[in-house]
Amino acid sequence: EEALGPPDPQTVGVLPFLVDGDSIYQPLRLGLANMLTTDLALVRQFRMVERVQLSALLEELRLPSDLVDPSTAAQTGRLLGAARMVLGTVSIPSEDRTRMSSSIVVGSGEILEPFQETGDLSDLFDLEKELAIRTAESLGYQLTEAEIQRIRQNVPANLASFLSFSRGLMAEDAGDFEAAEQQKLAIIQRA
């Protein structure tokens, strides 16, 4: 099931984040991956793998997204025609600072130098924005000030709304479109 031709060096995929912390935050694995994908798409330098396409492939491979490692990330990238895949992690301990990190896996399975941002849970969106900027730079792109501002302005209303959005993505991936619609309504009510 190899993709046709070699992976495109400008095509990037963002795998679901690994979330370490209270189970209430588990839906962020899809929400943060979606946000990072959207932020990198704002750069327009990269062609981003769509979340639905990535989710379908992970399901077809019967690969739980929380078990993706560099070698399976590289394999997934090759199947999707992406030369580089981003593996993200967020740790939200109950009594310590929130840590968010990401690594870029190239087609060979090699990991480019990972980086990490740390702050309070209330800084979650700022942490993701810094991660997006550093990821774009690690992918070899020098952002303009306008691109940095677009990324920093792409922020959800609040964490509760973002959790509802993330739960909606999980429901959608599970084929439960009614639950996904209910999460959309919850977002509207919280906004």
Side-chain angles (χ1 to χ4, degrees):
E1 266 191 72
E2 275 304 299
L4 298 175
D8 179 354
Q10 294 308 317
T11 300
V12 177
V14 178
L15 290 157
F17 273 54
L18 296 176
V19 178
D20 178 28
D22 190 317
S23 63
I24 191 171
Y25 299 116
Q26 285 305 309
L28 293 177
R29 64 189 190 83
L30 295 180
L32 287 169
N34 189 77
M35 184 184 289
L36 184 55
T37 299
T38 302
D39 286 344
L40 292 174
L42 290 172
V43 174
R44 295 193 180 102
Q45 171 73 18
F46 311 112
R47 283 184 286 287
M48 302 303 300
V49 174
E50 292 182 32
R51 184 189 65 78
V52 174
Q53 185 182 14
L54 180 60
S55 176
L57 179 61
L58 291 175
E59 186 176 316
E60 185 177 322
L61 294 173
R62 290 180 171 68
L63 189 63
S65 58
D66 59 347
L67 293 179
V68 174
D69 62 23
S71 64
T72 54
Q75 174 194 15
T76 303
R78 284 190 300 274
L79 291 171
L80 293 167
R84 297 171 289 184
M85 298 294 288
V86 179
L87 286 171
T89 304
V90 63
S91 177
I92 308 174
S94 57
E95 298 176 16
D96 201 3
R97 310 233 328 136
T98 297
R99 286 183 315 280
M100 190 179 297
S101 63
S102 71
S103 302
I104 299 166
V105 180
V106 295
S108 64
E110 177 189 356
I111 301 174
L112 302 182
E113 186 174 332
F115 35 90
Q116 176 175 295
E117 297 291 332
T118 306
D120 294 326
L121 181 58
S122 61
D123 301 325
L124 184 70
F125 301 136
D126 293 334
L127 297 176
E128 186 279 333
K129 298 307 164 201
E130 291 309 311
L131 209 64
I133 291 164
R134 291 179 70 183
T135 299
E137 290 170 349
S138 291
L139 290 168
Y141 183 73
Q142 185 61 45
L143 295 157
T144 66
E145 193 56 41
E147 289 168 327
I148 291 171
Q149 289 310 311
R150 276 198 303 270
I151 288 171
R152 288 199 170 127
Q153 291 168 356
N154 181 34
V155 180
N158 55 52
L159 184 56
S161 293
F162 190 62
L163 276 166
S164 288
F165 170 77
S166 299
R167 283 191 293 273
L169 292 176
M170 288 180 70
E172 190 177 277
D173 280 1
D176 189 345
F177 300 107
E178 185 176 324
E181 190 64 33
Q182 289 172 347
Q183 292 302 324
K184 284 183 191 173
L185 292 173
I187 294 169
I188 293 167
Q189 292 168 349
R190 288 187 176 107

